[in-house]
Amino acid sequence: MDSSTKTLTEDKQVYRVEGFSCANCAGKFEKNVKELSGVHDAKVNFGASKIDVFGSATVEDLERLVLSRILKWHQRRLEEGSNQW
């Protein structure tokens, strides 16, 4: 195993995720996680409800990401005049 593979393997964290209603939602989440500072890569397994994160992101970083996306979605809904969740 070369040093780059070893580093990625050592930095791998696996998290269980809930609430993906479709593979598209999971893909969007994966893309957003990849944009987090310190993340080298991320892979969602939709069927297993897990995400592998390669890098230094913590579960708290992922929770903040989810919360910020929910708040942005809710703000857009309010701006559109919808009062439904």
Side-chain angles (χ1 to χ4, degrees):
M1 180 178 348
D2 67 26
S3 62
S4 63
T5 303
K6 184 177 179 186
T7 301
L8 286 177
T9 304
E10 289 175 356
D11 291 343
K12 178 182 174 184
Q13 299 295 320
V14 180
Y15 300 103
R16 181 164 299 281
V17 291
E18 297 178 0
F20 292 144
S21 57
C22 65
N24 187 42
C25 296
K28 287 180 182 179
F29 183 67
E30 177 182 290
K31 179 181 175 252
N32 288 319
V33 170
K34 288 178 179 181
E35 294 174 359
L36 286 173
S37 177
V39 172
H40 307 289
D41 198 11
K43 301 286 182 199
V44 168
N45 182 328
F46 177 67
S49 298
K50 292 181 181 178
I51 185 168
D52 298 338
V53 179
F54 300 88
S56 60
T58 64
V59 69
E60 290 82 11
D61 295 330
L62 299 179
E63 289 171 344
R64 276 192 295 276
L65 174 67
V66 170
L67 182 57
S68 72
R69 297 300 183 224
I70 290 170
L71 292 173
K72 286 180 183 179
W73 177 84
H74 184 62
Q75 182 63 38
R76 277 195 313 268
R77 300 278 295 169
L78 289 173
E79 291 169 358
E80 294 169 356
S82 174
N83 60 1
Q84 296 179 1
W85 236 149

